[in-house]
Amino acid sequence: MGLFDKLKLGLAKTRRAFSDRVEMVLRRRRIDEDVFEELEDALLSADVGLDTTGFLLDRLTKEARREKLETADQLIPVLRREIHAIVAARTDSVKSVSDSMTSLYYDQNGLTVVLVVGVNGVGKTTTIGKLAYALKQEGKRVMVAAGDTFRAAAIEQLSVWADRAGVDIIKQTTGSDAAAVIFDAIEAAKARRADVLLCDTAGRLQNKAHLMDELEKIYRVIAREVPGAPHETLLVLDATTGQNAIIQAKLFQDVAKVTGIVLTKLDGTAKGGVVIAIGKELKIPVKWVGLGERLEDLQPFSADDFATALFDSLS
Ligand SMILES: Nc1nc2c(ncn2[C@@H]2O[C@H](COP(=O)(O)OP(=O)(O)OP(=O)(O)O)[C@@H](O)[C@H]2O)c(=O)[nH]1
Ligand SMILES: [Mg+2]
């Protein structure tokens, strides 16, 4: 299966929630109040969120007036264009999933350090495994650092993923200092001339002060050991949490220098419209999406492909 087909399949529930209602709109010939109400339902049911839905309806109303649109079907390409514009504003670096496997910022001349953050259970460790695999497929020399020293099974879980991806892991025992583990990993990565070091971290938001202290220390160590690093701080968000993901992102932006989002578990949720809300409300690009639990179930996010997949059966 190609990457686009996989994205489309992953978005199946979102597409259903969304397109069924848009189809009701298409059954109406003339544009009236009900048309806008039904479009509102379509957007909300795909978890686009109140603010972003309001924004889109406003744009649709204005465009309908400006372009003197008369029939409901004329609104669909407008909606598609507006959604694409929102999503593409943050992600125009990747035009199509086939353009580039890795939408990561690289240091071409040395070690690239990527820090992965997010709350409990969103998919950080899994994403690191998948990312390690994708980067390795591109010919990069990849290592991972077991920076989640908090949860008992975390290190073992990352070891399993490192094995699957065929990359080296640097780890210590549970309870050791996360910044010290990452320091060790950087030294090892330099010695082994690795291209990329992916650092796992513990997911804790409830204890924000502690999280802030620990992350600050990790940032300090990384910046001291590798000038300009971390090159990326990827925030992992779970698509099944819908609008809650936006709240998490805003909290994390206060404590970490987030450069990109990985949106996991897009498969099997009808809340994929959260991609649009993220595009509208956060100034961070979605760089990757998770579409399953296997090694190859991660792909670079493409605004073009997202809009095409969402509207596929409607045009
Ligand atoms: N369906 C699906 N499941 C996923 C995806 N990404 C992760 N998961 C699952 O989500 C669960 C949690 O993933 P982890 O990688 O352990 O999450 P984490 O953020 O590291 O969790 P903590 O270390 O506890 O903070 C696992 O069961 C994963 O298999 C995805 O894209 N799709
Ligand atoms: Mg983890």
Side-chain angles (χ1 to χ4, degrees):
M1 201 184 344
L3 289 179
F4 175 74
D5 291 324
K6 201 157 153 182
L7 175 70
K8 204 174 139 182
L9 190 69
L11 284 170
K13 279 196 183 161
T14 300
R15 277 157 40 84
R16 219 169 300 135
F18 179 75
S19 355
D20 286 359
R21 286 176 173 80
V22 174
E23 265 155 21
M24 299 211 309
V25 172
L26 292 175
R27 278 189 222 121
R28 293 177 180 279
R29 284 291 302 156
R30 301 200 59 79
I31 295 176
D32 54 21
E33 272 305 304
D34 289 347
V35 163
F36 289 103
E37 244 169 58
E38 280 161 25
L39 283 177
E40 182 174 25
D41 285 348
L43 293 165
L44 290 176
S45 68
D47 229 52
V48 174
L50 276 175
D51 289 355
T52 306
T53 296
F55 171 83
L56 282 167
L57 284 174
D58 197 49
R59 294 287 306 145
L60 278 176
T61 315
K62 288 198 176 106
E63 284 300 293
R65 215 175 294 142
R66 202 176 63 80
E67 294 177 37
K68 298 192 169 54
L69 303 182
E70 291 179 353
T71 56
D73 60 330
Q74 293 174 309
L75 283 172
I76 306 304
V78 181
L79 181 59
R80 179 185 164 151
R81 203 168 65 215
E82 293 294 332
I83 286 176
H84 179 265
I86 289 175
V87 178
R90 307 261 169 260
T91 58
D92 47 13
S93 55
V94 185
K95 289 292 178 215
S96 150
V97 284
S98 54
D99 285 356
S100 154
M101 256 323 280
T102 53
S103 48
L104 274 186
Y105 174 81
Y106 277 111
D107 183 349
Q108 300 296 342
N109 305 311
L111 178 66
T112 296
V113 181
V114 179
L115 193 60
V116 177
V117 299
V119 304
N120 291 308
V122 287
K124 294 179 295 298
T125 305
T126 307
T127 296
I128 287 178
K130 294 168 173 176
L131 207 48
Y133 177 73
L135 294 171
K136 202 184 167 207
Q137 298 290 104
E138 277 215 333
K140 297 274 190 288
R141 198 190 276 261
V142 186
M143 286 176 60
V144 298
D148 179 358
T149 53
F150 186 70
R151 194 165 59 81
I155 298 165
E156 184 49 32
Q157 190 194 354
L158 187 66
S159 298
V160 170
W161 277 105
D163 269 356
R164 283 184 196 151
V167 304
D168 287 349
I169 178 172
I170 300 301
K171 57 187 177 185
Q172 290 179 15
T173 49
T174 304
S176 31
D177 180 30
V181 174
I182 289 172
F183 173 84
D184 274 1
I186 290 174
E187 296 313 302
K190 283 181 185 167
R192 297 178 205 177
R193 301 197 158 279
D195 299 309
V196 188
L197 176 68
L198 305 172
C199 307
D200 199 6
T201 61
R204 276 160 290 156
L205 198 59
Q206 57 274 33
N207 190 350
K208 216 178 150 193
H210 180 92
L211 177 86
M212 191 138 79
D213 290 351
E214 186 176 87
L215 266 186
E216 234 166 58
K217 197 166 160 200
I218 289 172
Y219 271 112
R220 249 191 336 263
V221 166
I222 294 177
R224 194 181 62 214
E225 299 307 310
V226 183
H231 304 83
E232 294 262 15
T233 299
L234 298 179
L235 172 64
V236 180
L237 298 174
D238 175 345
T240 64
T241 63
Q243 292 302 301
N244 197 9
I246 306 274
I247 298 167
Q248 281 171 27
K250 286 180 177 164
L251 290 170
F252 261 93
Q253 274 183 298
D254 293 340
V255 296
K257 307 168 190 93
V258 180
T259 56
I261 288 170
V262 180
L263 190 64
T264 58
K265 311 184 199 180
L266 254 191
D267 56 304
T269 178
K271 297 180 176 174
V274 71
V275 172
I276 305 164
I278 289 172
K280 179 75 181 69
E281 292 179 48
L282 305 174
K283 291 181 171 49
I284 323 166
V286 174
K287 295 205 165 185
W288 300 81
V289 289
L291 294 165
E293 296 186 273
R294 292 167 314 153
L295 210 48
E296 56 278 9
D297 293 338
L298 183 78
Q299 53 176 255
F301 178 72
S302 149
D304 290 2
D305 292 349
F306 176 77
T308 305
L310 196 60
F311 283 85
D312 209 28
S313 58
L314 297 165
S315 36

